[in-house]
Structures are given as C-alpha cells and as structure tokens.
Amino acid sequence: NVPLILDDLGIRKLTPRECLNFQGFPNSFKFPETVPQSQRYKQAGNAVTVSLISKVAKIISKSI
C-alpha cells in the first residue's frame, strides 16, 4: 500500500523519498536506479526509524 496525503492540489501518493524522510533517512540516502518503485515503498515501510530506536535504547539503558 502506498501512503496517501491531502495537499493543496488534492489527494496524492507520497513519493518514496517522502516515505524515507518520515523514517528518518538522510536526504543523501539513494536507492540504486535498478530498484523499482514498488520495492522502494516496501523497503521504506519496513525500515526502522533510527532516531526512535536510539531514544528507546537510551531509556532502556538508564532503567537497567
């Protein structure tokens, strides 16, 4: 499933780049040109947000 967003032009799909940005990837992260759009969405959706995991790990570390 491709996420949808409502903007000034109406309802549209998020781009794979926007999905990666939501997951905390830097703008410098690039997929190889051979990776199809559908795989880009899947990989972005299955990614773990690094900043969130870092914060959770710090909280766990303090509580141990």
Side-chain angles (χ1 to χ4, degrees), residues 13-47:
K13 295 179 185 179
L14 288 176
T15 65
R17 167 83 284 157
E18 291 170 323
C19 293
L20 289 172
N21 289 347
F22 278 132
Q23 290 289 47
F25 283 85
N27 286 331
S28 61
F29 180 86
K30 307 268 189 243
F31 283 108
E33 293 298 321
T34 57
V35 178
Q37 286 274 20
S38 60
Q39 281 301 110
R40 294 174 189 210
Y41 282 111
K42 282 183 184 180
Q43 290 183 25
N46 288 332

